[in-house]
Amino acid sequence: MLPPGSFKSKVAFITGGGTGLGKGMAVTLSALGAECVIASRKLDVLKQTAEEITKQTGNKVHAVQCDVRDPVSVQAAVAELVKVAGLPDVVINNAAGNFISPSEGLSPNAWRTITDIVLNGTAYVTLELGKQLIKAEKGAAFLAITTIYAESGSGFVVPSASAKAGVETMCKSLAAEWGRYGMRFNVIQPGPIKTKGAFSRLDPAGMFEKAMLERIPTGRLGTPGEIANLAAYLCSDYATWVTGAVIRMDGGEYVSMAGEFNDLKKVTKDQWATLEAMIRKTRGS
């Protein structure tokens, strides 16, 4: 989507970068010239992904172990990032956790499991890097990956919905506060994208994919590459006037679910003819 070399001489730090959307964004940024540093808890997966992307793009990708739930681990990961590549120009908070559950079945530990990764982890990474960037007088583009139900709320994923909403509020708040330091903060809300990690916990039996497709006007799920293209634009020098934005990318799913009369698309032509005749009879009454 962007010209070759758009991220040449830039460093990108991506949490949850070993698989799924994080890997997709790392591939795209690396292909555009960025020196990527990918982070997650599983170092073996990270190393394999880093080698794979480096071979594919010809640009160095570093693997750094990081448990975003632990501030000490975040500090150590940031120190390693600075050591191997320098302070980043791009920071993508993509690490996430989620599972479906009736809310009455959630334990305090289940709540913490999700909110520690999604909200606290994003905050720890953002604050640690933000403070160092301010001290170094260096700007950066921050991007967070949330979800469409961060805006609407959703049953059965309440910890995730709550935490993602908090992430969005944090990004908008810091866009206002830290813009003076040359930092930008934006958010992408992806709709359903079939990645192994997400679907194994959100649709383990494959029961809901058909229903998802029926409510998406474009008639298909999204792809990691589509999210990566938007992410690359938002983090690039072509988007320096874009900050505090929350961009929905979902094939129209949100507006399809939100419209009160959108289910009328199921009405056939013959049924419409019958309904219109009935409506005409009510005129003047």
Side-chain angles (χ1 to χ4, degrees), residues 53-76:
I53 298 173
T54 296
K55 185 177 180 180
Q56 179 179 338
T57 67
N59 291 316
K60 180 64 178 175
V61 178
H62 307 274
V64 173
Q65 191 168 29
C66 180
D67 183 349
V68 296
R69 301 170 298 179
D70 179 7
V72 175
S73 178
V74 170
Q75 289 170 1

Side-chain angles (χ1 to χ4, degrees), residues 127-204:
L127 293 172
E128 180 66 25
L129 279 168
K131 291 171 185 177
Q132 293 200 30
L133 289 164
I134 291 169
K135 186 176 180 181
E137 298 184 349
K138 177 182 173 66
F142 285 75
L143 178 68
I145 307 301
T146 61
T147 175
I148 59 172
Y149 59 73
E151 185 174 343
S152 63
S154 178
F156 306 100
V157 284
V158 172
S160 171
S162 303
K164 293 284 194 183
V167 168
E168 292 189 358
T169 299
M170 180 179 70
C171 289
K172 289 182 284 187
S173 300
L174 288 173
E177 184 180 350
W178 282 359
R180 57 187 166 154
Y181 299 124
M183 293 186 222
R184 298 187 296 112
F185 292 82
N186 292 299
V187 176
I188 297 175
Q189 297 177 334
I193 295 173
K194 193 167 186 178
T195 60
K196 182 179 178 182
F199 267 59
S200 65
R201 292 181 293 275
L202 299 177
D203 189 15

